[in-house]
Amino acid sequence: MTGSIVTVEHFIAEQEREYPEATGAFTDILLQINLAAKVISAAVNRAGLIDILGVIGSTNVHDEEVQKLDDYANDVLLNLLRRCGSLSGMVSEEEEGFVHVPESRDPGPYIIAFDPLDGSSNIDVNISVGTIFSVYRKRSDGTRVRRRDLLQPGSEQVAAGYVLYGSSTMLVFTTGRGVHGFTLDPGIGEFLLSYRNLRIPSPGKNIYSINEAYFDKWTPGQQRLVERLRQPPPDAPSFSARYVGSMVADFHRTLLRGGIFMYPGTVAKPEGKLRLLYEVAPMAMICEQAGGLATDGRRRILDIEPEGLHHRVPTFLGAPDLVEMAGRYLADD
Ligand code: AHM
Ligand code: MG
């Protein structure tokens, strides 16, 4: 039985052996993310206990400041990744500007972007949240981190992944050679390989995932698309709707079961809500690596050049036929 157990560390080492171009620097980043995921997972699992254990205002019984979980997750990632020596810059949803990695050392060959705790408004109600990350190569020479190192299109990612803190904690990532999923065994504190080479089922479950409360704010094409999904023609399959409100959870279901996840723009805010660098581009890489499509309704997400660290884009991810269908409806807008 135990012969089939593969830890994420084994898997990464195996990949490194298989691909001679792989460098230890890159492996180091993945191993730090693996560690950060376990630390954040433990904190997320204890979140509901804080009230019981005693918090007055924002301090605990020992009079210590209780940090908000998204700030805590951000600190864990910044501190662990800073130490690995493979990075020259970091971009976080929680930081306005980019974070330079110690000037005292040689600059590492990589840049990382992450959302430390996506969907954090769901924490207080015990609903799944996640961490999303994306790794790029530093393009320019020298110690300085330049704009063109930070603002690269998603097609330049060398790795992307997420951690889902759900009914179990899962780490899902790609290095451009398929998508693999690992489940945290809390008993031994290791992520174990649970899905090798994930593919989005197509045809899979006919599920659409979108915040329908915004219906009246959408463009006519977006409204017609959702009307088509609600009321398919007589010969077409019918759909179910699912929306957690945590992209990592909604996307993970889409990856495993099929369907489409959408966060479109509105007439007043055509760019939508989700951020390209650390939310949408990594999910788009995973989606394509699993045989799906990822667009902003018109363009391939991975081709979009970010205009800033917190650039937003409308988002359509999922089974190719459904994302293509969305594109046909949006083309009329
Ligand atoms: P956040 O980064 O502030 O947590 O927001 C991102 C989250 C996504 O996980 C999710 O898809 C979306 O916001 C939900 O937004 P809405 O409540 O508008 O449907
Ligand atoms: Mg977020």
Side-chain angles (χ1 to χ4, degrees), residues 93 115 117-119 132 274-275 278-279:
E93 186 195 288
D115 184 348
L117 209 58
D118 185 61
I132 312 172
L274 302 178
R275 270 62 57 105
Y278 43 77
E279 291 177 329

Side-chain angles (χ1 to χ4, degrees), residues 72-324:
Y72 176 75
N74 190 41
D75 285 354
V76 168
L77 281 160
L78 290 175
N79 289 330
L80 290 178
L81 289 165
R82 182 176 277 140
R83 270 196 242 146
C84 79
S86 307
L87 293 160
S88 51
M90 300 190 266
V91 176
S92 165
E93 186 195 288
E94 300 288 329
E95 308 285 331
E96 190 61 34
F98 84 95
V99 178
H100 202 273
V101 180
E103 296 83 2
S104 51
R105 258 197 252 136
D106 286 344
Y110 295 101
I111 300 281
I112 192 165
F114 53 81
D115 184 348
L117 209 58
D118 185 61
S120 52
S121 64
N122 274 330
I123 285 268
D124 293 343
V125 284
N126 214 347
I127 290 177
S128 304
V129 288
T131 297
I132 312 172
F133 64 91
S134 160
V135 183
Y136 293 84
R137 228 169 242 114
K138 184 177 184 297
R139 283 167 157 174
S140 65
D141 297 331
T143 49
R144 273 192 57 196
V145 175
R146 294 165 195 275
R147 199 178 149 80
R148 66 194 186 92
D149 296 322
L150 299 164
L151 303 182
Q152 304 190 42
S155 54
E156 297 297 315
Q157 288 172 105
V158 292
Y162 61 81
V163 185
L164 171 63
Y165 311 102
S167 45
S168 54
T169 296
M170 278 202 70
L171 169 63
V172 174
F173 70 87
T174 179
T175 54
R177 297 182 175 97
V179 179
H180 312 290
F182 302 81
T183 305
L184 182 63
D185 179 337
I188 58 170
E190 295 278 5
F191 280 102
L192 305 179
L193 181 64
S194 43
Y195 297 89
R196 199 188 274 270
N197 269 322
L198 269 166
R199 306 291 294 173
I200 295 186
S202 179
K205 292 256 185 233
N206 285 313
I207 296 174
Y208 70 93
S209 188
I210 190 167
N211 190 339
E212 269 188 88
Y214 303 142
F215 189 93
D216 291 342
K217 301 187 170 117
W218 292 336
T219 60
Q222 182 63 44
Q223 290 177 334
R224 279 195 297 274
L225 167 65
V226 171
E227 277 163 353
R228 156 69 181 79
L229 295 167
R230 283 179 191 165
Q231 284 187 312
D235 54 331
S238 54
F239 278 77
S240 278
R242 294 280 186 279
Y243 191 72
V244 177
S246 280
M247 181 171 57
V248 178
D250 282 315
F251 177 74
H252 187 68
R253 183 197 51 252
T254 308
L255 187 64
L256 260 50
R257 297 276 180 265
I260 182 166
F261 168 79
M262 300 177 266
Y263 203 110
T266 58
V267 172
K269 218 177 154 212
E271 69 279 18
K273 174 184 184 186
L274 302 178
R275 270 62 57 105
L276 179 58
L277 263 184
Y278 43 77
E279 291 177 329
V280 187
M283 293 311 200
M285 180 178 184
I286 296 168
C287 191
E288 287 198 5
Q289 283 287 318
L293 282 184
T295 73
D296 70 348
R298 292 180 177 74
R299 296 169 296 174
R300 181 179 176 235
I301 294 287
L302 296 183
D303 290 337
I304 302 174
E305 302 263 350
E307 285 161 21
L309 299 183
H310 304 286
H311 179 160
R312 297 172 197 266
V313 280
T315 303
F316 298 80
L317 302 164
D321 54 332
L322 297 176
V323 177
E324 273 164 9

